[in-house]
Amino acid sequence: MSEVGIILGSDSDLPKVKKCFQILDEFKIGYEVIISSAHRTPEQTKQWVSGAKDRGIKVIIAVAGGAAHLPGVVASYTLLPVIGVPVETNLSGGMDSILSILQMPGGIPVAAMPAGSAGGMNSALFAVNILALNNETYYKKLLEYRENMKTGILKKNDLIAEKGLMQYIKELEK
Amino acid sequence: MSEVGIILGSDSDLPKVKKCFQILDEFKIGYEVIISSAHRTPEQTKQWVSGAKDRGIKVIIAVAGGAAHLPGVVASYTLLPVIGVPVETNLSGGMDSILSILQMPGGIPVAAMPAGSAGGMNSALFAVNILALNNETYYKKLLEYRENMKTGILKKNDLIAEKGLMQYIKELEK
Amino acid sequence: MSEVGIILGSDSDLPKVKKCFQILDEFKIGYEVIISSAHRTPEQTKQWVSGAKDRGIKVIIAVAGGAAHLPGVVASYTLLPVIGVPVETNLSGGMDSILSILQMPGGIPVAAMPAGSAGGMNSALFAVNILALNNETYYKKLLEYRENMKTGILKKNDLIAEKGLMQYIKELEK
Amino acid sequence: MSEVGIILGSDSDLPKVKKCFQILDEFKIGYEVIISSAHRTPEQTKQWVSGAKDRGIKVIIAVAGGAAHLPGVVASYTLLPVIGVPVETNLSGGMDSILSILQMPGGIPVAAMPAGSAGGMNSALFAVNILALNNETYYKKLLEYRENMKTGILKKNDLIAEKGLMQYIKELEK
Amino acid sequence: MSEVGIILGSDSDLPKVKKCFQILDEFKIGYEVIISSAHRTPEQTKQWVSGAKDRGIKVIIAVAGGAAHLPGVVASYTLLPVIGVPVETNLSGGMDSILSILQMPGGIPVAAMPAGSAGGMNSALFAVNILALNNETYYKKLLEYRENMKTGILKKNDLIAEKGLMQYIKELEK
Amino acid sequence: MSEVGIILGSDSDLPKVKKCFQILDEFKIGYEVIISSAHRTPEQTKQWVSGAKDRGIKVIIAVAGGAAHLPGVVASYTLLPVIGVPVETNLSGGMDSILSILQMPGGIPVAAMPAGSAGGMNSALFAVNILALNNETYYKKLLEYRENMKTGILKKNDLIAEKGLMQYIKELEK
Amino acid sequence: MSEVGIILGSDSDLPKVKKCFQILDEFKIGYEVIISSAHRTPEQTKQWVSGAKDRGIKVIIAVAGGAAHLPGVVASYTLLPVIGVPVETNLSGGMDSILSILQMPGGIPVAAMPAGSAGGMNSALFAVNILALNNETYYKKLLEYRENMKTGILKKNDLIAEKGLMQYIKELEK
Amino acid sequence: MSEVGIILGSDSDLPKVKKCFQILDEFKIGYEVIISSAHRTPEQTKQWVSGAKDRGIKVIIAVAGGAAHLPGVVASYTLLPVIGVPVETNLSGGMDSILSILQMPGGIPVAAMPAGSAGGMNSALFAVNILALNNETYYKKLLEYRENMKTGILKKNDLIAEKGLMQYIKELEK
């Protein structure tokens, strides 16, 4: 069963949030994915969102760029937590997406994530933060995940010490 | 009968677009006004927009600030021309409202007006530009309106000549 | 006969609004195209705009980048609806074009479209929104066009279901 | 017992998020408040955050302005969901606060809320969205809260009809 | 006879560039002032600009805010040097005015001044820089003007030394 | 003899303003070029600027990027007209260069040109605008130059008519 | 003897960095203050900066707004550490000052502080950070200063506990 | 022994500040490098920073991008001078990194450097500015370094004179 519902305004945004899917897979959390636009398929969007709770969905991730109304529109149809991911655009690297998702009016909250690939990644992790409140397994995996991030960084310092700084940089520049 | 429908996300935006109502009154064009939020009253918004054409509405003006999804949401429910007016905010004077209204995705057009009181004024005049395509009376009034703007500016030059520049400035500074 | 007049400040902007021409072709709406700068050929611009109504033009689309005065200058010579399309530039992805087109003074309205290729597309669709007010054929085609957009999105969901999400993403990334 | 922990970088931000407290009170949700800076009291911050889960806290709201590192620093010490509220500043109305809270690196999620008073309000409501996943009472109250927002807007339309548009605007302008 | 022509899009901008007039008066340089909009009175603007050279005008100062097309439109009708002064607006303090005046296309130069009251001041001084190329009297006055600025600053240091720093600040804060 | 002095903060900016040199060559106007930084070679900068008038220089063009203090520093050492050209950077396409050159304090004017290659081009043309005030030959060449720009645009319209719009676009896209 | 030299482009900036003087007084660190503009008094600026080291100055604080070239110009005349303080302006709250001070070219470093009153405060504290490297007394005072900041925040939490949150907020709002 | 400590939020930032290492090598100044994130390895960061003074470190350089909390977090654990280097990002070329590092609250200073490679370079030079206050050898090397920059620029002018301007540009364009 899916605990997370992911809705994207365009299928071209799928690769931009690939890490979102990978993290949910890694945590073995079921999720649904739908391509549905706030503007081009408003009925499909409403229907999918309105039924989400009954289908067992607990958190919704909405991904959009430009005017990026999708997360806000989703939030208008549900009381589940809605996480908004702004897609990078040519306008200052996504300032339009960011402001449209962030600046929601008082009363209808959306949780804005960073623009770009960090947004996809953090949307999944934030969903797990929420789900872990009532799921010890997820909580333990989160602890592990964070521990692994730490170890990864520590190992890089070992590697730099081993190879020498300038050699390490040279290899990165390749 | 109303030819123009005006929808605002919040009643607090009414004074900010007062010139919109005044111009439509001046042109003797009937209009409907509704307070309806994209997020807080999505069903009312949808219903009002979907029925607009059948009620005789030809142009819709949507006024919103911040995330400002209203004009885009309105446009998703109708094929009438939708004019969006961004309300000024604390964020760079309304950059959030501007980008959310302007940067609509390809396929669902919204006509963005300037932020602030010029936006209210121009939304009405642009609506008249559209209605005048099939209404000679409106067209003649538009010609007159523009002629009056010209005369107004010419008169100011006469006044400056009369009073002297520095005196004229002094009175403006009061 | 042409119902839409399209004016561009530079021929180098033609490819950027190609979708504008394609949509008007698709809707079988006649249009004129002229390259004419607000600053380098002001007389040609004035003449073309001033005569537009008499030539049967009903809507004008003006495309410009940078200082992007063209849409405003066009609007100063006509009472036809003027749609402005901001071309993307290096300055924050077109913030200069956007603000110059959007922030028109009260009295002379211009309908601003999104920057980039969505702008070209939506300028044509918005022109059709206006023309369809008095043309049932266009209105029906618009309904169809929007229906096709919906179907297109629904099909993508079928395709994702068929191929599997990760496979679908992999193909997009190619 | 407190289910929500609220941390502010400065006591001068308290009035700016007053609605946050009022909403939690309205929902009868217990909360803790602490003034603790990411930079001036890093140990107190760490200690308060690290112990939050054991004290029964389920969601943390972090409020900060300017460099606004607090929400990110809080998120580095906990796996509870962290909600960041950017305080408005003189820099473009809070662009510094917004970007510092929003643009978190992949791996450490923070849920960014709008700048200004909507941020305080939505941070509380988003916390309730999360808590309501496992609390039917909260969920029902959320439904009611949203219903009340709707009714409030509908009533405004009645009032406008009753008073007349221009009279209503006149009263708002007072 | 007037050597400088000053054109403003709106009489409400007159007080904002008062220093422009004062400096020209101080240098005893004759100037013409006209209120004329690029959009509302395009013919008057064209006529005034086109005849400027024959009336003896050598430099044109154009003042405008928002879309601020006036300086560019003026430059399209003349080969005299055109100085553009962006008026401050609510949008980031005049970013719209600045970009519309600055980002002129290659071929039609406009000399952009700072936004705000420094812009009015510097437009006059820059005009004198140009006129002084062929007028020794103006050049000597410019030397004197700059010398006076220096002396003014030096005197402030004397005054601070005399009063004491904290006393001096206290008086400024009044 | 050189009538125009061109100073660049870095030799890497030379190709970015190539059109500046080409236009001055086309107008047969003599010019000096120096690489000299406001910060790295302040003495050389001061010396070159201070002596410019005596060497017969009438207009100075200063090109710089980033903090871009060069045009302002140049203006502090001379009463000749100083034209500033902002070089494009990674920061919003040159917003740092633009603001550093544009926002000069009252008293020391600098004429700001557009960012990028249009800036190089317009700096030369604006210098000619100034020089032409006292040189009929330059004035006639300017008239011709502008006439050629017009003819160039008119020819493009002929070419589009000849080739057909879509064929013309296809060739541009190559 | 003065260990810190403070240079401001305008005496009107003195009140904006009052905390700078107060902190240096509190630490009993001698300082010189001079009003001297990069553009209006370039010779005085150069002379004051060039002689600073010989007068015993170890750190220079330069305060400026708008084009804000002063810190960079100061840095071009000395090898002492230069701290730049951007004064807030109308342009996005000081974005011009910030970028002009921050974006120095490689080779001539300036240490940029935050805009506004925090900038004045931190410029003094950063100067003390530097001086404390060789002065145990200053280092101890810095430890104390930071300890006091902590205590101040802890006390506020006591006060909130004592008064009650809503009462505390009410008093702040006065 | 290391006098400078360099901390980077991610090893991928190493190549971006390569010039920092090269300059310190050139000045024969010892330095430590550590990869440590403000958020992913907060304990390691705290430990490394807290012990820096005892290890003989005198200046800390902290490099980070996006939310870029690292320099501020470092400054909260030490009284050594902390230099922050903002890494360029897709968001307006690093506006997020810049504001997060620059806009520190009063009380905890961080010295912000320019974004991009100039930032790496200037962070090293600014560290030397500080160290040179008590090290005559470093001071002499700084004098030499600056002299070499001057000579480098003077030589470029010779080279341009030798090759001819257009030939020099042609070679740069290669």
Side-chain angles (χ1 to χ4, degrees), chain G residues 53 75 78 103 105 107 112 122 134 146, chain H residues 75 78 105 107 112 115 122 134 139 146:
Chain G
K53 188 164 186 283
T78 187
Q103 291 290 77
N122 283 5
N134 293 285
R146 210 167 258 204
Chain H
T78 187
N122 283 5
N134 294 286
Y139 190 77
R146 212 168 257 205

Side-chain angles (χ1 to χ4, degrees), chain E residues 3-7 48-53 55 57-63 70-71 74-75 77-84 110-111 123 127 130, chain F residues 126:
Chain E
E3 291 184 290
V4 177
I6 303 167
I7 183 166
W48 183 84
V49 177
S50 306
K53 190 165 184 283
R55 291 194 310 278
I57 299 294
K58 289 176 187 146
V59 182
I60 296 180
I61 294 170
V63 182
L70 189 61
V74 166
Y77 293 129
T78 187
L79 291 167
L80 296 175
V82 176
I83 302 170
V110 165
S123 67
I130 293 173
Chain F
F126 193 69

Side-chain angles (χ1 to χ4, degrees), chain G residues 13-41:
Chain G
D13 295 338
L14 281 170
K16 296 171 191 160
V17 293
K18 201 168 60 172
K19 285 194 181 168
C20 175
F21 311 125
Q22 293 172 335
I23 287 175
L24 294 176
D25 286 341
E26 195 180 332
F27 278 84
K28 294 195 200 308
I29 293 176
Y31 57 93
E32 281 178 28
V33 178
I34 189 169
I35 311 300
S36 193
S37 161
H39 306 111
R40 283 168 293 186
T41 54

